[in-house]
Amino acid sequence: GAGVSQSPRYKVAKRGQDVALRCDPISGHVSLFWYQQALGQGPEFLTYFQNEAQLDKSGLPSDRFFAERPEGSVSTLKIQRTQQEDSAVYLCASSLGSAQETQYFGPGTRLLVL
Amino acid sequence: KQEVTQIPAALSVPEGENLVLNCSFTDSAIYNLQWFRQDPGKGLTSLLLIQSSQREQTSGRLNASLDKSSGRSTLYIAASQPGDSATYLCAVPKAAGNKLTFGGGTRVLVKP
């Protein structure tokens, strides 16, 4: 079966541009997570959805970051007025929903802000 | 605040040697501990998940142990192969939810 997919895989943006990153979770997975991974570091939590409800956005680094999951499946992470420090890999993960469950990760979107 | 540390940051071994990767965490109130593998330019692949009530979990050549009281987990990979070369990450869910806190990873190179 299909895993978690993300698009685009690579994105180059000029500083100040807005970008939108898409995540298609595994069908039927209730929970969806976004993480940010800087070069050479482990992923860091950004935000969490349970179905369409955004239950935790404590990891979003600024109000330029916005995420949505309007129908409880596909999610979009939007970054407004991108800055160079936003350059990172953005990973999406989904799980069935229980705290005991494994999270399944997509391949990530590599964002480079020039 | 939970902090997860992985030492060493990088490891190079000849093929056939056993690998020992360490993970430590500061808050022992965890639901489980997960080990992931990450290949360059790729996402994370789940290797093992140890429930908080378990002491170890095995899958093929991989064995992971968990000592909650001391805040440590160890991933053992037996008889390493060049295909085991990757970055290995451990992660724990925050007690109040299931977002993961990751260590910085151990980058492993297995030389043929």
Side-chain angles (χ1 to χ4, degrees):
Chain A
V4 178
S5 61
Q6 293 185 244
S7 61
R9 291 294 313 279
Y10 304 93
K11 177 70 179 176
V12 179
K14 291 183 180 178
R15 191 171 53 184
Q17 264 187 319
D18 297 350
V19 298
L21 313 180
R22 177 187 168 109
C23 172
D24 284 82
I26 294 173
S27 177
H29 278 195
V30 168
S31 296
L32 186 145
F33 304 82
W34 284 98
Y35 294 88
Q36 181 189 57
Q37 186 174 24
L39 190 64
Q41 299 183 22
E44 294 201 355
F45 170 79
L46 293 176
T47 187
Y48 160 60
F49 291 85
Q50 187 173 86
N51 295 306
E52 68 278 5
Q54 188 175 22
L55 299 186
D56 188 342
K57 52 183 181 179
S58 62
L60 295 177
S62 78
D63 58 8
R64 296 185 295 104
F65 286 70
F66 171 76
E68 60 183 5
R69 194 185 184 198
E71 297 177 0
S73 56
V74 171
S75 176
T76 304
L77 176 67
K78 297 179 180 177
I79 309 173
Q80 296 177 322
R81 304 180 304 281
T82 52
Q83 303 294 314
Q84 285 186 317
E85 62 262 29
D86 300 335
S87 296
V89 175
Y90 291 85
L91 295 165
C92 174
S94 69
S95 74
L96 281 172
S98 162
Q100 307 294 336
E101 293 291 338
T102 298
Q103 293 184 21
Y104 296 87
F105 282 77
T109 294
R110 185 174 298 273
L111 173 65
L112 177 62
V113 181
L114 301 176
Chain B
K1 179 189 169 188
Q2 178 74 272
E3 291 184 6
V4 181
T5 303
Q6 292 185 248
I7 294 172
L11 187 59
S12 179
V13 299
E15 182 177 1
E17 266 198 21
N18 297 331
L19 286 163
V20 180
L21 308 179
N22 298 302
C23 171
S24 61
F25 47 94
T26 54
D27 185 347
S28 61
I30 60 172
Y31 284 147
N32 59 52
L33 186 141
Q34 302 178 33
W35 282 95
F36 294 88
R37 168 184 172 137
Q38 186 172 34
D39 293 283
K42 303 279 181 67
L44 279 66
T45 301
S46 178
L47 296 174
L48 289 168
L49 183 152
I50 314 176
Q51 305 291 359
S52 60
S53 58
Q54 294 179 305
R55 298 281 294 182
E56 68 179 302
Q57 187 71 259
T58 297
S59 176
R61 294 185 294 111
L62 276 59
N63 174 277
S65 66
L66 175 63
D67 184 342
K68 267 184 57 176
S69 60
S70 66
R72 279 189 270 189
S73 177
T74 302
L75 177 66
Y76 301 90
I77 303 177
S80 62
Q81 304 169 357
D84 295 329
S85 299
T87 296
Y88 292 83
L89 296 145
C90 66
V92 293
K94 187 175 166 65
N98 57 355
K99 60 187 176 185
L100 294 172
T101 300
F102 283 87
T106 295
R107 192 170 66 254
V108 170
L109 176 64
V110 180
K111 296 177 286 187

XYZ file of all heavy atoms in Angstrom, chain A residues 20-101:
641
model
N 4.298 26.593 -0.098
C 3.299 25.659 0.425
C 3.797 24.242 0.204
O 4.146 23.869 -0.917
C 1.955 25.859 -0.267
N 3.828 23.476 1.262
C 4.326 22.098 1.227
C 3.158 21.176 1.534
O 2.422 21.396 2.503
C 5.440 21.928 2.266
C 6.533 23.010 2.294
C 7.562 22.683 3.371
C 7.186 23.163 0.957
N 3.047 20.121 0.728
C 1.886 19.244 0.841
C 2.271 17.878 1.415
O 3.357 17.355 1.121
C 1.267 19.041 -0.542
C 0.084 18.087 -0.600
C -0.347 17.836 -2.020
N -1.289 16.723 -2.108
C -2.581 16.866 -2.376
N -3.097 18.069 -2.599
N -3.368 15.811 -2.456
N 1.372 17.319 2.202
C 1.555 15.980 2.766
C 0.298 15.153 2.555
O -0.804 15.583 2.920
C 1.868 16.065 4.257
S 1.889 14.451 5.092
N 0.466 13.967 1.972
C -0.622 12.992 1.834
C -0.337 11.839 2.793
O 0.557 11.025 2.522
C -0.706 12.454 0.406
C -1.327 13.437 -0.547
O -0.604 14.335 -1.019
O -2.533 13.313 -0.792
N -1.068 11.738 3.893
C -0.782 10.670 4.854
C -1.303 9.327 4.365
O -1.999 9.242 3.349
C -1.549 11.130 6.093
C -2.732 11.859 5.523
C -2.200 12.570 4.289
N -0.969 8.289 5.106
C -1.514 6.968 4.822
C -3.030 7.005 5.052
O -3.500 7.579 6.047
C -0.841 5.902 5.706
C 0.642 5.796 5.319
C -1.534 4.555 5.582
C 1.472 4.906 6.228
N -3.777 6.407 4.127
C -5.229 6.436 4.205
C -5.719 5.848 5.526
O -5.279 4.769 5.946
C -5.817 5.638 3.041
O -7.227 5.600 3.128
N -6.591 6.584 6.187
C -7.159 6.094 7.449
C -6.387 6.511 8.677
O -6.846 6.292 9.804
N -5.218 7.100 8.494
C -4.453 7.543 9.652
C -5.052 8.833 10.208
O -5.227 9.816 9.501
C -2.978 7.740 9.285
C -2.195 6.485 9.300
N -0.824 6.448 9.300
C -2.599 5.188 9.330
C -0.414 5.198 9.351
N -1.472 4.413 9.359
N -5.310 8.786 11.498
C -5.974 9.903 12.166
C -4.998 11.023 12.491
O -5.301 12.197 12.371
C -6.668 9.386 13.446
C -7.119 10.529 14.345
C -7.835 8.484 13.078
N -3.806 10.626 12.927
C -2.833 11.610 13.408
C -1.858 11.999 12.307
O -1.405 11.147 11.526
C -2.049 11.044 14.591
O -2.907 10.810 15.678
N -1.521 13.286 12.262
C -0.559 13.790 11.280
C 0.356 14.790 11.963
O -0.109 15.656 12.716
C -1.295 14.447 10.106
C -0.418 14.902 8.934
C -1.163 14.710 7.610
C 0.064 16.315 9.081
N 1.639 14.650 11.697
C 2.660 15.485 12.333
C 3.527 16.149 11.266
O 3.809 15.550 10.229
C 3.587 14.628 13.207
C 2.887 13.820 14.260
C 2.295 12.608 13.942
C 2.832 14.268 15.565
C 1.654 11.854 14.911
C 2.193 13.522 16.539
C 1.607 12.317 16.213
N 3.990 17.338 11.565
C 5.028 17.999 10.770
C 6.260 18.193 11.647
O 6.156 18.600 12.814
C 4.556 19.364 10.270
C 3.595 19.328 9.125
C 2.231 19.428 9.178
C 3.921 19.221 7.731
N 1.688 19.379 7.919
C 2.703 19.256 7.008
C 5.115 19.106 7.015
C 2.653 19.172 5.614
C 5.063 19.024 5.643
C 3.842 19.065 4.947
N 7.414 17.911 11.055
C 8.697 18.106 11.728
C 9.613 18.900 10.796
O 9.499 18.828 9.567
C 9.370 16.764 12.042
C 8.645 15.894 13.041
C 7.655 15.003 12.630
C 8.955 15.948 14.396
C 6.989 14.193 13.542
C 8.293 15.140 15.312
C 7.314 14.273 14.879
O 6.667 13.472 15.782
N 10.552 19.593 11.400
C 11.573 20.332 10.662
C 12.928 19.728 11.009
O 13.240 19.546 12.198
C 11.538 21.809 11.068
C 12.551 22.693 10.356
C 12.604 24.083 10.979
O 12.857 24.231 12.172
N 12.349 25.114 10.180
N 13.719 19.420 9.991
C 15.033 18.823 10.239
C 16.113 19.679 9.590
O 16.223 19.746 8.364
C 15.108 17.393 9.696
C 16.396 16.676 10.057
C 16.406 15.221 9.632
O 15.703 14.817 8.716
N 17.210 14.405 10.313
N 16.918 20.320 10.437
C 18.056 21.090 9.950
C 19.181 20.121 9.606
O 19.228 18.984 10.100
C 18.499 22.092 10.998
N 20.103 20.575 8.782
C 21.184 19.724 8.311
C 21.999 19.168 9.479
O 22.432 19.917 10.353
C 22.084 20.538 7.372
C 23.141 19.747 6.603
C 22.468 18.754 5.652
C 24.049 20.695 5.825
N 22.153 17.863 9.525
C 22.979 17.228 10.540
C 22.334 17.105 11.913
O 23.003 16.731 12.881
N 21.048 17.402 11.997
C 20.349 17.328 13.280
C 19.147 16.391 13.195
O 18.721 16.000 12.112
C 19.898 18.722 13.710
C 21.057 19.694 13.911
C 20.580 21.040 14.408
O 19.496 21.166 14.980
N 21.395 22.056 14.200
N 18.608 16.057 14.355
C 17.391 15.272 14.372
C 16.184 16.144 14.084
O 16.240 17.363 14.228
N 15.076 15.541 13.653
C 13.861 16.315 13.387
C 13.337 16.978 14.652
O 13.476 16.437 15.747
C 12.871 15.254 12.878
C 13.720 14.110 12.425
C 14.910 14.112 13.319
N 12.713 18.131 14.468
C 12.070 18.830 15.590
C 10.598 19.046 15.265
O 10.244 19.442 14.165
C 12.761 20.160 15.867
C 14.187 19.993 16.355
C 14.702 21.207 17.101
O 13.997 22.220 17.165
O 15.826 21.122 17.620
N 9.771 18.800 16.254
C 8.317 18.867 16.114
C 7.858 20.282 15.775
O 8.337 21.274 16.340
C 7.672 18.428 17.425
C 6.193 18.684 17.500
C 5.294 17.841 16.868
C 5.706 19.777 18.203
C 3.929 18.086 16.944
C 4.352 20.023 18.293
C 3.462 19.174 17.658
N 6.939 20.367 14.820
C 6.314 21.644 14.489
C 4.856 21.683 14.953
O 4.460 22.560 15.717
C 6.363 21.887 12.983
C 7.745 22.118 12.356
C 7.620 22.235 10.845
C 8.400 23.352 12.954
N 4.035 20.728 14.453
C 2.608 20.795 14.732
C 1.971 19.423 14.543
O 2.546 18.533 13.908
C 1.916 21.840 13.844
O 0.550 22.000 14.246
C 1.951 21.438 12.363
N 0.777 19.251 15.134
C 0.105 17.952 15.182
C -1.389 18.128 14.944
O -2.011 19.031 15.513
C 0.363 17.324 16.553
C -0.593 16.232 16.987
C -0.734 15.073 16.233
C -1.327 16.353 18.172
C -1.591 14.064 16.640
C -2.177 15.340 18.582
C -2.308 14.204 17.821
O -3.150 13.204 18.217
N -1.933 17.252 14.100
C -3.367 17.220 13.826
C -3.940 15.870 14.238
O -3.329 14.831 14.015
C -3.649 17.399 12.334
C -3.349 18.770 11.805
C -2.072 19.114 11.402
C -4.351 19.717 11.707
C -1.792 20.372 10.903
C -4.090 20.990 11.206
C -2.794 21.309 10.807
N -5.133 15.929 14.778
C -5.925 14.719 14.933
C -7.168 14.948 14.088
O -7.988 15.812 14.398
C -6.292 14.483 16.394
C -6.973 13.144 16.626
C -7.164 12.879 18.113
O -8.153 13.314 18.707
N -6.212 12.209 18.711
N -7.287 14.182 13.017
C -8.279 14.473 11.972
C -8.064 15.911 11.491
O -6.946 16.278 11.166
C -9.686 14.207 12.478
C -9.905 12.738 12.793
O -9.669 11.880 11.941
N -10.344 12.438 14.014
N -9.097 16.728 11.497
C -8.912 18.093 10.985
C -8.525 19.085 12.082
O -8.233 20.249 11.795
C -10.187 18.571 10.286
C -11.385 18.794 11.208
C -12.118 17.514 11.530
O -11.658 16.427 11.134
O -13.168 17.596 12.201
N -8.502 18.627 13.309
C -8.230 19.526 14.436
C -6.729 19.641 14.686
O -6.040 18.634 14.867
C -8.939 19.010 15.687
N -6.259 20.868 14.723
C -4.852 21.115 15.041
C -4.732 21.207 16.553
O -5.064 22.231 17.157
C -4.371 22.406 14.379
C -2.869 22.642 14.490
C -2.415 23.872 13.706
O -3.204 24.760 13.417
N -1.144 23.922 13.341
N -4.260 20.128 17.172
C -4.253 20.037 18.630
C -3.004 20.618 19.264
O -3.007 20.918 20.464
C -4.433 18.583 19.066
C -5.742 17.915 18.643
C -5.854 16.525 19.272
C -6.945 18.769 19.013
N -1.941 20.742 18.504
C -0.692 21.235 19.086
C 0.084 21.950 17.989
O 0.397 21.340 16.971
C 0.114 20.062 19.664
C 1.334 20.507 20.468
O 1.768 21.665 20.324
O 1.872 19.676 21.216
N 0.351 23.218 18.203
C 1.182 23.957 17.249
C 2.323 24.648 17.983
O 2.854 25.662 17.520
C 0.365 24.951 16.436
C -0.497 25.906 17.229
C -1.299 26.786 16.284
C -2.159 27.780 17.057
N -2.933 28.663 16.150
N 2.693 24.057 19.100
C 3.699 24.675 19.956
C 5.082 24.738 19.327
O 5.913 25.524 19.756
C 3.778 23.927 21.290
O 4.170 22.582 21.074
N 5.339 23.914 18.316
C 6.658 23.886 17.701
C 6.829 24.837 16.531
O 7.945 24.998 16.026
N 5.769 25.470 16.095
C 5.892 26.400 14.969
C 6.774 27.568 15.392
O 6.504 28.225 16.401
C 4.512 26.901 14.530
C 3.574 25.835 13.969
C 2.208 26.413 13.639
C 4.182 25.170 12.740
N 7.839 27.849 14.650
C 8.844 28.811 15.117
C 8.399 30.268 15.079
O 8.968 31.084 15.797
C 10.041 28.572 14.180
C 9.484 27.890 12.980
C 8.272 27.152 13.406
N 7.432 30.596 14.248
C 6.961 31.981 14.194
C 5.581 32.009 13.562
O 5.087 30.987 13.062
C 7.939 32.841 13.379
O 7.754 32.623 12.001
N 4.967 33.184 13.580
C 3.628 33.300 12.990
C 3.685 33.312 11.460
O 2.650 33.436 10.799
C 2.890 34.535 13.518
C 3.636 35.835 13.254
O 4.661 35.797 12.527
O 3.214 36.874 13.761
N 4.881 33.148 10.901
C 4.973 32.992 9.448
C 4.627 31.566 9.020
O 4.413 31.321 7.838
C 6.388 33.343 8.968
C 6.789 34.798 9.200
C 8.149 35.097 8.577
N 9.240 34.355 9.200
C 9.830 33.297 8.655
N 9.432 32.852 7.462
N 10.816 32.700 9.275
N 4.607 30.671 9.986
C 4.322 29.262 9.710
C 2.862 28.984 10.024
O 2.366 29.329 11.109
C 5.211 28.353 10.566
C 6.643 28.297 10.127
C 7.483 29.380 10.286
C 7.158 27.146 9.549
C 8.811 29.337 9.879
C 8.480 27.076 9.143
C 9.306 28.167 9.311
N 2.207 28.312 9.075
C 0.791 28.006 9.231
C 0.527 26.626 8.630
O 1.037 26.301 7.562
C -0.031 29.077 8.505
C -1.493 28.787 8.401
C -2.322 28.947 9.491
C -2.040 28.345 7.216
C -3.677 28.669 9.403
C -3.401 28.064 7.109
C -4.207 28.230 8.215
N -0.250 25.810 9.312
C -0.568 24.478 8.796
C -2.063 24.247 8.862
O -2.742 24.780 9.743
C 0.167 23.397 9.575
N -2.555 23.452 7.917
C -3.974 23.124 7.910
C -4.191 21.713 7.403
O -3.355 21.157 6.686
C -4.751 24.126 7.045
C -4.320 24.175 5.593
C -5.065 25.232 4.798
O -5.852 26.003 5.371
O -4.857 25.273 3.568
N -5.347 21.168 7.764
C -5.754 19.825 7.338
C -7.293 19.836 7.286
O -7.950 19.200 8.090
C -5.238 18.770 8.339
C -5.301 17.339 7.829
C -4.899 16.356 8.924
N -4.868 14.993 8.421
C -4.887 13.916 9.193
N -4.945 14.045 10.518
N -4.846 12.719 8.659
N -7.835 20.575 6.363
C -9.271 20.921 6.397
C -10.234 19.748 6.346
O -11.320 19.831 6.922
C -9.441 21.842 5.185
C -8.274 21.566 4.312
C -7.152 21.170 5.219
N -9.872 18.660 5.677
C -10.790 17.520 5.569
C -10.269 16.301 6.303
O -10.780 15.192 6.102
C -11.058 17.211 4.098
C -11.756 18.363 3.376
C -11.955 18.085 1.899
O -11.553 17.000 1.439
O -12.512 18.959 1.214
N -9.264 16.498 7.116
C -8.768 15.399 7.929
C -7.903 14.401 7.188
O -7.633 13.323 7.712
N -7.464 14.747 5.974
C -6.538 13.839 5.270
C -5.306 14.631 4.844
O -4.370 14.756 5.621
C -7.220 13.145 4.100
O -7.774 14.095 3.202
N -5.306 15.200 3.651
C -4.159 15.973 3.156
C -3.903 17.182 4.050
O -4.843 17.829 4.546
C -4.424 16.436 1.712
C -3.357 17.410 1.242
C -4.502 15.233 0.781
N -2.617 17.466 4.247
C -2.243 18.637 5.046
C -1.291 19.512 4.239
O -0.532 19.023 3.399
C -1.571 18.190 6.344
O -1.125 19.308 7.100
N -1.349 20.800 4.508
C -0.452 21.755 3.872
C 0.240 22.584 4.939
O -0.409 23.085 5.862
C -1.214 22.696 2.922
O -1.926 21.916 1.955
C -0.246 23.624 2.197
N 1.538 22.701 4.814
C 2.332 23.581 5.666
C 2.723 24.784 4.815
O 3.322 24.628 3.753
C 3.581 22.861 6.182
C 4.570 23.697 7.009
C 3.934 24.096 8.341
C 5.859 22.932 7.254
N 2.340 25.941 5.268
C 2.633 27.163 4.512
C 3.618 28.017 5.297
O 3.485 28.177 6.516
C 1.342 27.941 4.262
C 0.334 27.187 3.407
C -0.946 27.969 3.194
C -1.914 27.180 2.329
N -3.221 27.873 2.149
N 4.598 28.525 4.598
C 5.568 29.436 5.205
C 5.493 30.743 4.431
O 5.708 30.775 3.215
C 7.000 28.870 5.163
C 7.037 27.444 5.730
C 7.942 29.774 5.958
C 8.380 26.757 5.574
N 5.186 31.793 5.146
C 5.084 33.109 4.505
C 6.395 33.870 4.667
O 7.110 33.712 5.667
C 3.947 33.905 5.153
C 2.579 33.271 4.954
C 1.471 34.040 5.663
O 1.675 34.552 6.766
N 0.306 34.112 5.058
N 6.694 34.681 3.674
C 7.882 35.574 3.735
C 9.096 34.771 4.203
O 9.705 35.068 5.235
C 7.606 36.750 4.668
C 6.365 37.554 4.274
C 6.129 38.728 5.234
N 6.029 38.337 6.627
C 4.969 37.806 7.202
N 3.874 37.576 6.477
N 4.967 37.517 8.501
N 9.465 33.760 3.429
C 10.532 32.841 3.839
C 11.831 33.581 4.145
O 12.164 34.600 3.512
C 10.797 31.785 2.759
O 11.001 32.442 1.499
C 9.641 30.815 2.652
N 12.545 33.050 5.117
C 13.847 33.558 5.532
C 14.873 32.458 5.326
O 14.530 31.271 5.249
C 13.806 33.960 7.007
C 12.740 34.983 7.349
C 13.015 36.328 6.698
O 14.141 36.814 6.743
N 11.998 36.919 6.089
N 16.153 32.834 5.286
C 17.199 31.837 5.063
C 17.206 30.776 6.151
O 17.494 29.612 5.871
C 18.566 32.516 4.960
C 18.780 33.233 3.629
C 20.176 33.777 3.478
O 20.730 34.350 4.416
N 20.743 33.630 2.294
N 16.868 31.153 7.370
C 16.877 30.174 8.469
C 15.752 29.153 8.341
O 15.724 28.175 9.098
C 16.786 30.876 9.827
C 15.525 31.677 10.051
C 15.726 33.155 9.785
O 16.593 33.487 8.951
O 15.013 33.959 10.407
N 14.834 29.350 7.395
C 13.781 28.361 7.157
C 14.286 27.195 6.313
O 13.585 26.185 6.157
C 12.585 28.996 6.444
C 11.947 30.131 7.233
O 12.076 30.136 8.476
O 11.338 31.022 6.609
N 15.483 27.317 5.746
C 16.045 26.241 4.934
C 16.217 24.993 5.792
O 16.905 25.028 6.821
C 17.398 26.663 4.348
O 17.245 27.754 3.465
N 15.599 23.911 5.374
C 15.600 22.664 6.144
C 14.832 21.624 5.338
O 14.282 21.921 4.276
C 14.920 22.864 7.506
N 14.800 20.413 5.867
C 13.913 19.389 5.325
C 12.664 19.358 6.197
O 12.762 19.304 7.433
C 14.589 18.005 5.323
C 13.597 16.931 4.862
C 15.808 18.019 4.414
N 11.518 19.401 5.575
C 10.245 19.362 6.291
C 9.643 17.969 6.106
O 9.354 17.544 4.996
C 9.313 20.465 5.802
C 9.840 21.821 6.220
C 10.793 22.480 5.444
C 9.449 22.400 7.420
C 11.318 23.696 5.850
C 9.967 23.615 7.833
C 10.908 24.252 7.040
O 11.438 25.455 7.458
N 9.502 17.276 7.226
C 9.017 15.896 7.227
C 7.586 15.842 7.731
O 7.230 16.515 8.695
C 9.901 15.037 8.131
C 11.355 14.853 7.703
C 12.175 14.300 8.855
C 11.445 13.925 6.508
N 6.802 15.021 7.084
C 5.443 14.759 7.519
C 5.365 13.307 7.961
O 6.026 12.429 7.375
C 4.488 15.018 6.355
S 2.773 14.572 6.679
N 4.607 13.040 9.005
C 4.418 11.674 9.486
C 2.960 11.464 9.840
O 2.260 12.400 10.226
C 5.297 11.407 10.708
N 2.506 10.223 9.714
C 1.142 9.927 10.135
C 1.132 8.648 10.966
O 2.050 7.824 10.883
C 0.209 9.778 8.922
O 0.486 8.617 8.165
N 0.113 8.525 11.787
C -0.063 7.309 12.583
C -1.548 7.054 12.754
O -2.371 7.942 12.565
C 0.631 7.423 13.931
O -0.089 8.271 14.797
N -1.854 5.813 13.150
C -3.252 5.447 13.333
C -3.934 6.307 14.380
O -5.137 6.542 14.316
C -3.365 3.968 13.715
C -3.232 2.978 12.569
C -3.167 1.553 13.102
C -4.400 3.125 11.607
N -3.177 6.749 15.373
C -3.758 7.696 16.301
C -3.442 7.436 17.751
O -3.454 8.347 18.550
N -3.129 6.209 18.108
C -2.829 5.928 19.502
C -1.428 6.395 19.858
O -0.543 6.401 19.019
C -2.918 4.423 19.745
O -2.259 4.076 20.942
N -1.242 6.752 21.113
C 0.088 7.165 21.544
C 1.089 6.033 21.447
O 2.275 6.252 21.482
C 0.010 7.677 22.981
N 0.598 4.807 21.345
C 1.498 3.672 21.276
C 1.944 3.342 19.865
O 2.769 2.461 19.670
C 0.805 2.426 21.865
C 0.250 2.640 23.247
C 1.338 2.873 24.274
O 2.456 2.462 24.086
N 1.002 3.546 25.353
N 1.396 4.030 18.886
C 1.619 3.622 17.513
C 2.862 4.229 16.891
O 3.240 5.363 17.187
C 0.407 4.016 16.647
C -0.860 3.271 16.970
C -0.772 1.807 16.575
O 0.052 1.470 15.705
O -1.534 1.010 17.143
